[in-house]
Amino acid sequence: MTVITRPTPVELLPDPVRRDTSERYERMRSVVPEVEWLLYAPYVAAINQLKAERNAVVLAHNYQTPEIYHGVADITGDSLALARMARETDAEVIVLAGVHFMAETAKIVNPAKTVLIPDPAAGCSLAESITAADVRLLRQQYPGAPVVTYVNTSAEVKAESDICCTSSNAVEVVDSLDAERVIFLPDQYLGRWVAGQTDTEIILWEGSCIVHERFTPEEVRRFRAAYGGDIEVLAHPECPPNVLEEADFVGSTSGISNRIETIRPSRVLLITECSMASNLAADHPDVDFVRPCNLCPYMNAITLPKILRSLETMTHEVTVAPDIAERARLAVDRMLEVGRGRAG
Ligand code: 13P
Ligand code: SF4
């Protein structure tokens, strides 16, 4: 008697695709069902092959979806890690799987490379909240106060700034200036969080992240109540202060990952972007991730078909006018010097 068993979805993939992608799939199997992988795998195989032909690397932010983050990225990390790695890569082409300001930062720190963004509309509510003219006005209003600018800004805004920061190093950057007061742009919530940890007076701008500002303290309390207190609440400092007060730990993207590595909680409530939780869940199958799903629409504009098209057509190339790039580079390089030798 012959018993014919139905093939699993992965077994339906053509042999070369299955062979070339199986190792990548194992990294995300716990968060990407096989039926979805059936759609993703041909793109993953084609992208990884084209990267080699083009001498390209894909840099992916932690907020990219798992099929990108685990499937085609060569380098993954938060804004700070991506800026550092963009400066160091030997590849000729950098494909930035993230948002536009990250691609601009890569071009600023490594101008000789071709930097591509798969969708130029992948913006950021923080970057859109402020212009270079706004920064010049603030300087007139607060003469002598140095301008500390979150990397989530355009190249033009960076060019008007004294130094950049990310959420990983914001306090360290502010303290490094030894100033009585600083202008901190553009995230009001990150700025307030920094103000709570430094003696420097912080002058704020009213920008915010549309993903993190949506969390509420009631939501955090509801989750805590539902899990009987057996839950570690980790929040990103782009959240409003009344949300941060409810958290057990407040930290940047890398800070949150490191915290999970260190304390190995059995259950975590992640108060940050939702794909980050999926990527962490893939890396930590022993941890139960509770994720109120706030997805960043800008980060989600990047997809596997767009990454493939980007490599096929070498679009959309990110350029920064040389005079702007030169001034912006000073601000980014100063930031990279502050954190030198230290993990983000
Ligand atoms: P970090 O990568 O600096 O934590 O920033 C979070 C973020 O919102 C990126 O867009
Ligand atoms: Fe910008 Fe917020 Fe999206 Fe990050 S998560 S890219 S800060 S809108």
Side-chain angles (χ1 to χ4, degrees), residues 63 99 101 123-126 152 209-212 238 296 298-299:
Y63 295 178
V99 293
F101 75 79
C124 168
S125 63
L126 281 169
N152 298 38
C209 160
I210 52 165
V211 177
H212 291 92
E238 286 173 10
C296 173
Y298 305 106
M299 287 280 180

Side-chain angles (χ1 to χ4, degrees), residues 62-65 209-217 219-220 222-223 236 238-240 243 269-278 290-300:
N62 300 77
Y63 295 178
Q64 290 293 293
T65 45
C209 160
I210 52 165
V211 177
H212 291 92
E213 73 177 352
R214 272 173 49 204
F215 292 105
T216 64
E219 194 178 9
V220 179
R222 247 193 338 267
F223 278 109
H236 193 281
E238 286 173 10
C239 297
V243 171
L269 172 61
L270 269 191
I271 305 297
T272 187
E273 209 270 351
C274 183
S275 297
M276 155 122 175
S278 303
V290 179
R291 24 192 149 149
C293 215
N294 287 2
L295 279 165
C296 173
Y298 305 106
M299 287 280 180
N300 270 262

Side-chain angles (χ1 to χ4, degrees), residues 116-191:
L116 304 176
I117 183 145
D119 185 339
C124 168
S125 63
L126 281 169
E128 283 152 24
S129 75
I130 189 156
T131 65
D134 293 327
V135 186
R136 289 194 288 271
L137 279 174
L138 281 165
R139 279 203 192 272
Q140 281 173 18
Q141 223 176 323
Y142 299 98
V147 175
V148 178
T149 294
Y150 196 23
V151 286
N152 298 38
T153 45
S154 66
E156 287 80 5
V157 166
K158 289 184 178 78
E160 297 293 333
S161 309
D162 293 289
I163 187 165
C164 286
C165 74
T166 72
S167 54
S168 311
N169 60 15
V171 177
E172 208 180 348
V173 165
V174 167
D175 285 343
S176 75
L177 296 172
D178 238 349
E180 243 168 66
R181 64 178 185 178
V182 302
I183 301 168
F184 189 95
L185 310 172
D187 186 1
Q188 57 179 308
Y189 298 128
L190 178 63

